[in-house]
C-alpha cells in the first residue's frame, strides 16, 4: 500500500474512501470538513452520502449519474488545492452534557479507578476536566466517538460486552469517550449518565452531536439530573 | 399522506416481514444505516411488475410464515425467493402481477428456493417516512409501518397508496432471463478494495478459489462466510465508513459481507466490496449454502448495474 496521502481507495461500485491522514488527530477535522463541503458542491445531486471518520471520508454517489472513474476524477480535483476549513471548526458547535457520575448508573467507575490508580472522584474530575472533539458518528444513530481522553484514563473495552447499556450512559474505552443515544449492547466502561437527548427523530438535525463538535461533560447532582429529566434507574447487572 | 386506505390485514405475522423502500440516504454521517431491501434486484422487479415506480415500499418476507388478507381489491407481484406462496390455497405465480380480490388470503409457507420474497402491492404500501424513508431497521428502531422499526405483527392493518392508471397492461410477467435460479451455486462478484494487497498470497488464492459456506450468523447486517482462514497483515484499521457489500475480515480470518443494516463505520480490513447485484444474490442464500467469490472490475460491474436499472426503468 502506498503511503502517499491523500489517497483514493475503491469502496465498491458507488464509493470512494478518501484517506487524508494516517493517525487520529483533532487537527484532521478541519481538513475533513473542508473536503466534505467541497464534495457536496461538486457532486450535487449525484452525491448519496458522506461518512466522515477519524482520518477518512467515505463518499457514495449515484452510479447511474457517475461512473467510479468520473467520481474519482472529481475527487482528485477537489483534493488538488484543499485548505482546512477553520471556519467550519470554529463553527463546530460546543455542547455541555449534564452528567450524573455515580456507581448506580456508572457501574464501572470503581473498576476504572482501580485500573487507573485513581480515586473515583479523580476519575470524574479527569473525565469532566477537558473538552472532547467528535471524531466520528457510528455504531448506532447519534453515537459519537469523542476524544482523546487523558492518557491516565486509558482503559480497554470490556472483555464481554453488556447485552444492554441504558440510554444516556457515559462511557470510556481506549482513550475515547461516548454517550449512548439509545439502549444498545455495548462494551465500553460506564462512568455515569447524561440527561441530554442525543438522538431525537423529531429534531430537524436528528443528532445532537456532529463530527467536529466540541463536547464537555458537566458533573451534576442526582437532584439536578432528575430535574432535567434524567432516568436514575440503576443498571441491573445480570449475574 | 393522501388517500391511503387500509388495504391488507395481517392474519399471521410469521418470523420476519419488514417494510422496505429503497433505503435511507443522506443520513449516514449521523450513524444511521441504509436499510432497504437486502435483495435490491428482486425488490425492484416486484415493484416494476406490480406497476410501481422505483422506491415504492414493499414487504420483505424472510423465510415465510406470513398470512395476509386483502381488505379491498388489489393487485400484487411477488419476486425473489419461492416461499411456497398461495392465494386461497392455490399456488401463486411468482415474478408476475396477480389480482388479489377482497377477502382472499395470501399465505407464505416456507422456503422452496431462496430466503427473502418481496411482495409489492399495486400503488405501494403507505407509511410515514422517518428521515426520508420508510425502510424498517429494527436495530435502530426506525421506519416500518409504525415508524419505530417494528416488524409486522399479527393484527396489523397495512395501508396502501391508491394505484394510478396502469401504463403497462399488456406485459405483467417478467421475461425469461430476469428470474434468477436460486438453486445454482452463486458466484459473487467482488470489487477489490484498498487492503487486498495486505492479504497473504495463499489467502488471496483461497479467497477466490475456495467454496465459502454461509454461516448461521447471517442477517440483514451481514453474512458471515466460513472456510479457509484468510490472513491479513493489517489486523485492524482506524474506523472508517463502510459501503454496502463490503467484505471485511476480522482477525479470525473468516469474512463477513456487510449488507443493508450494517454499522456505518468499522475498522476491519476488507477484501473489497460485492457488487450491488452480488450483495442481492447473497441475501437469498440460506445458512449452509456454499458460494464462491470472483474478482471483478468496476467497468463490468457498472455495466451490469446500469443494464438492470435501465430494464426496470423501461418496464414501468
Amino acid at each position: 500500500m502506498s503511503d502517499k496521502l491523500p489517497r483514493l481507495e475503491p469502496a465498491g461500485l458507488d464509493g470512494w474512501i478518501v484517506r487524508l491522514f494516517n493517525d487520529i488527530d483533532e487537527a484532521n477535522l478541519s481538513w475533513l470538513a473542508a473536503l466534505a463541503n467541497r464534495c457536496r458542491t461538486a457532486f450535487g445531486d449525484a452525491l448519496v452520502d458522506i461518512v466522515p471518520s477519524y482520518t477518512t471520508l467515505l463518499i457514495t454517489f449515484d452510479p447511474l449519474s457517475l461512473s467510479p472513474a468520473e467520481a474519482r476524477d472529481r475527487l482528485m480535483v477537489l483534493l488538488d488545492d484543499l485548505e482546512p476549513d477553520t471556519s467550519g471548526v470554529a463553527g463546530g458547535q460546543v455542547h455541555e452534557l449534564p452528567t450524573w457520575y455515580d456507581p448506580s448508573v456508572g457501574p464501572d467507575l470503581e473498576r476504572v479507578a482501580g485500573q487507573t490508580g485513581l480515586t473515583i472522584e479523580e476519575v470524574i474530575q479527569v473525565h469532566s476536566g477537558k473538552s472532547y472533539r467528535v471524531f466520528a458518528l457510528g455504531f448506532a444513530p447519534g453515537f459519537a466517538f469523542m476524544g482523546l481522553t487523558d492518557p491516565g484514563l486509558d482503559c480497554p473495552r470490556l472483555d464481554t460486552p453488556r447485552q444492554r447499556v441504558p440510554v444516556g450512559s457515559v462511557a470510556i474505552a481506549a482513550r475515547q469517550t461516548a454517550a449512548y443515544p439509545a439502549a444498545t449492547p455495548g462494551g465500553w466502561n460506564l462512568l455515569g449518565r447524561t440527561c441530554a437527548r442525543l438522538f431525537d427523530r423529531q429534531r430537524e438535525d436528528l443528532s445532537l452531536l456532529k463530527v467536529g463538535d466540541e463536547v464537555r461533560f458537566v458533573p451534576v447532582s442526582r437532584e439536578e439530573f432528575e430535574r432535567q429529566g434524567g432516568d436514575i434507574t440503576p443498571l441491573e447487572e445480570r449475574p | 399522506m393522501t388517500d391511503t386506505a387500509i388495504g391488507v390485514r395481517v392474519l399471521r405475522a410469521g418470523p420476519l416481514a419488514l417494510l422496505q423502500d429503497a433505503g435511507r440516504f443522506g443520513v449516514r454521517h449521523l450513524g444511521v444505516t441504509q436499510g432497504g431491501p437486502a435483495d435490491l434486484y428482486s425488490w425492484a422487479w416486484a415493484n416494476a411488475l406490480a406497476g410501481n415506480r422505483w422506491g415504492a415500499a414493499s414487504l420483505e418476507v424472510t423465510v415465510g410464515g406470513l398470512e395476509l388478507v386483502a381488505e379491498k381489491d388489489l393487485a400484487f407481484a411477488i419476486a425473489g425467493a419461492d416461499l411456497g406462496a398461495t392465494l386461497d390455497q392455490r399456488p401463486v405465480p411468482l415474478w408476475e402481477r396477480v389480482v388479489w380480490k377482497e377477502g382472499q388470503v395470501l399465505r407464505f409457507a416456507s422456503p422452496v428456493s431462496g430466503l427473502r420474497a418481496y411482495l409489492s402491492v399495486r400503488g405501494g404500501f403507505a407509511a410515514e417516512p422517518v428521515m426520508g424513508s420508510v425502510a424498517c431497521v429494527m436495530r435502530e428502531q426506525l421506519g416500518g409501518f409504525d415508524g419505530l422499526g417494528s416488524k409486522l405483527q399479527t393484527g396489523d392493518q397495512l395501508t396502501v397508496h391508491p394505484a394510478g392508471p396502469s401504463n403497462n397492461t399488456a406485459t405483467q410477467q417478467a421475461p425469461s432471463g430476469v428470474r434468477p435460479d436460486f438453486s445454482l451455486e452463486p458466484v459473487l462478484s467482488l470489487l477489490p478494495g484498498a487492503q487486498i494487497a495486505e492479504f497473504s498470497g495463499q489467502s488471496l488464492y483461497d479467497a477466490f478459489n475456495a467454496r465459502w459456506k454461509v454461516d448461521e450468523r447471517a442477517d440483514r447486517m451481514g453474512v458471515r462466510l466460513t472456510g479457509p482462514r484468510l490472513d491479513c497483515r493489517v489486523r485492524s484499521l482506524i474506523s472508517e465508513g463502510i459501503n454496502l457489500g463490503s467484505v471485511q475480515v476480522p482477525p479470525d480470518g473468516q469474512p463477513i459481507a456487510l449488507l443493508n443494516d450494517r454499522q456505518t463505520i468499522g475498522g476491519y480490513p476488507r477484501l473489497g466490496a460485492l457488487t450491488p447485484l452480488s450483495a442481492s444474490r447473497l441475501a437469498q442464500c440460506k445458512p449452509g449454502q456454499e458460494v464462491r467469490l470472483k474478482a471483478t472490475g468496476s467497468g463490468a460491474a457498472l455495466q451490469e448495474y446500469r443494464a438492470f436499472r435501465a430494464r426496470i426503468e423501461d418496464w414501468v
Side-chain angles (χ1 to χ4, degrees):
Chain A
M1 211 188 297
S2 152
D3 283 336
K4 198 169 167 292
L5 294 176
R7 188 165 67 229
L8 289 174
E9 301 178 353
L13 178 63
D14 59 350
W16 286 100
I17 284 181
V18 188
R19 188 173 305 284
L20 289 181
F21 303 98
N22 281 324
D23 301 305
I24 296 174
D25 193 319
E26 290 183 17
N28 299 356
L29 292 164
S30 54
W31 290 89
L32 293 165
L35 183 58
N37 279 334
R38 284 188 166 199
C39 286
R40 279 183 209 103
T41 310
F43 281 76
D45 288 345
L47 184 71
V48 173
D49 267 296
I50 300 179
V51 190
S53 192
Y54 304 85
T55 55
T56 55
L57 289 183
L58 167 65
I59 315 287
T60 56
F61 53 88
D62 177 3
L64 299 185
S65 314
L66 289 178
S67 71
E70 287 164 343
R72 182 195 55 214
D73 291 347
R74 278 194 201 190
L75 288 166
M76 296 294 277
V77 172
L78 302 184
L79 287 169
D80 210 24
D81 56 349
L82 188 67
E83 295 284 339
D85 180 357
T86 43
S87 72
V89 167
Q93 282 195 47
V94 180
H95 307 273
E96 293 196 335
L97 305 185
T99 302
W100 179 39
Y101 294 91
D102 189 84
S104 67
V105 292
D108 299 321
L109 265 176
E110 198 168 333
R111 192 174 37 75
V112 167
Q115 280 178 7
T116 56
L118 303 170
T119 65
I120 287 182
E121 289 67 33
E122 285 167 338
V123 168
I124 296 168
Q125 213 168 43
V126 173
H127 184 257
S128 62
K130 71 174 292 223
S131 62
Y132 304 103
R133 296 295 296 279
V134 177
F135 289 118
L137 266 70
F139 173 67
F143 187 100
F145 292 82
M146 299 177 251
L148 292 170
T149 59
D150 189 275
L153 270 188
D154 195 348
C155 281
R157 288 173 170 80
L158 307 183
D159 289 338
T160 308
R162 290 186 170 88
Q163 290 285 333
R164 185 178 172 281
V165 173
V167 61
S169 294
V170 170
I172 57 169
R175 295 208 61 198
Q176 296 201 57
T177 184
Y180 285 75
T184 56
W188 291 30
N189 305 279
L190 308 185
L191 305 184
R193 211 177 276 178
T194 178
C195 48
R197 282 189 67 80
L198 297 156
F199 192 84
D200 184 347
R201 66 177 75 210
Q202 308 300 341
R203 189 163 49 206
E204 195 187 345
D205 52 0
L206 307 166
S207 176
L208 180 67
L209 309 178
K210 310 263 176 12
V211 170
D213 284 358
E214 194 174 317
V215 177
R216 187 179 278 271
F217 296 90
V218 179
V220 296
S221 65
R222 172 182 163 152
E223 291 70 30
E224 179 61 18
F225 177 76
E226 267 195 287
R227 198 186 62 75
Q228 295 196 33
D231 177 7
I232 59 162
T233 315
L235 176 64
E236 277 180 48
E237 299 274 16
R238 293 193 197 94
Chain B
M1 228 180 287
T2 56
D3 294 336
T4 57
I6 302 297
V8 173
R9 189 157 44 87
V10 181
L11 298 177
R12 192 158 66 97
L16 185 61
L18 301 172
L19 185 69
Q20 296 296 349
D21 60 13
R24 194 165 277 114
F25 298 101
V27 287
R28 212 77 64 244
H29 61 292
L30 303 176
V32 177
T33 196
Q34 175 173 345
D39 176 358
L40 181 80
Y41 179 88
S42 300
W43 167 87
W45 271 107
N47 268 331
L49 293 164
N52 298 335
R53 299 211 66 84
W54 179 270
S58 309
L59 288 181
E60 179 180 277
V61 185
T62 303
V63 177
L66 176 69
E67 264 179 51
L68 306 166
V69 61
E71 303 269 89
K72 61 178 191 175
D73 289 350
L74 296 166
F76 70 83
I78 299 171
D82 181 351
L83 301 181
T86 54
L87 191 60
D88 278 354
Q89 279 141 32
R90 277 191 297 278
V92 173
L94 308 180
W95 302 84
E96 70 175 70
R97 195 185 302 179
V98 177
V99 169
W100 193 4
K101 294 269 185 221
E102 183 178 343
Q104 283 187 313
V105 174
L106 175 61
R107 175 169 183 270
F108 293 84
S110 56
V112 177
S113 73
L115 190 61
R116 295 178 163 96
Y118 292 87
L119 169 68
S120 293
V121 293
R122 188 154 160 61
F125 287 105
E128 199 62 49
V130 181
M131 295 169 224
S133 167
V134 302
C136 185
V137 179
M138 294 175 70
R139 179 171 58 84
E140 295 183 343
Q141 298 172 13
L142 296 176
F145 284 98
D146 63 355
L148 299 170
S150 303
K151 62 182 182 178
L152 248 58
Q153 305 289 327
T154 299
D156 280 357
Q157 314 252 31
L158 312 183
T159 44
V160 173
H161 286 294
S166 177
N167 52 2
N168 185 351
T169 49
T171 48
Q172 298 172 353
Q173 194 174 359
S176 62
V178 158
R179 186 177 171 159
D181 182 349
F182 294 128
S183 68
L184 299 177
E185 183 183 70
V187 180
L188 306 174
S189 298
L190 179 128
L191 293 153
Q195 290 94 40
I196 191 133
E198 306 295 321
F199 288 85
S200 71
Q202 180 65 46
S203 291
L204 287 181
Y205 179 86
D206 288 342
F208 297 110
N209 288 280
R211 286 190 154 73
W212 293 96
K213 189 180 268 189
V214 174
D215 194 69
E216 294 285 342
R217 290 164 292 177
D219 57 21
R220 287 179 44 87
M221 280 183 80
V223 175
R224 186 176 279 263
L225 302 173
T226 57
R229 182 196 165 93
L230 302 182
D231 288 311
C232 186
R233 270 191 293 276
V234 182
R235 290 179 67 83
S236 76
L237 311 166
I238 295 168
S239 283
E240 57 191 40
I242 312 174
N243 204 357
L244 180 74
S246 291
V247 178
Q248 65 179 21
V249 183
D252 70 2
Q254 302 293 283
I256 304 171
L258 296 163
L259 299 182
N260 297 68
D261 291 1
R262 67 195 179 281
Q263 295 187 11
T264 55
I265 62 172
Y268 291 126
R270 296 180 296 270
L271 275 177
L274 300 179
T275 65
L277 297 190
S278 284
S280 284
R281 181 64 189 88
L282 178 61
Q284 293 292 358
C285 293
K286 284 175 268 197
Q289 193 172 344
E290 289 187 328
V291 302
R292 285 187 296 146
L293 299 175
K294 78 164 189 198
T296 194
S298 62
L302 185 66
Q303 198 175 15
E304 177 193 54
Y305 184 75
R306 285 183 171 174
F308 150 65
R309 291 294 300 266
R311 195 145 193 203
I312 293 288
E313 201 57 42
D314 288 346
W315 195 265
V316 182

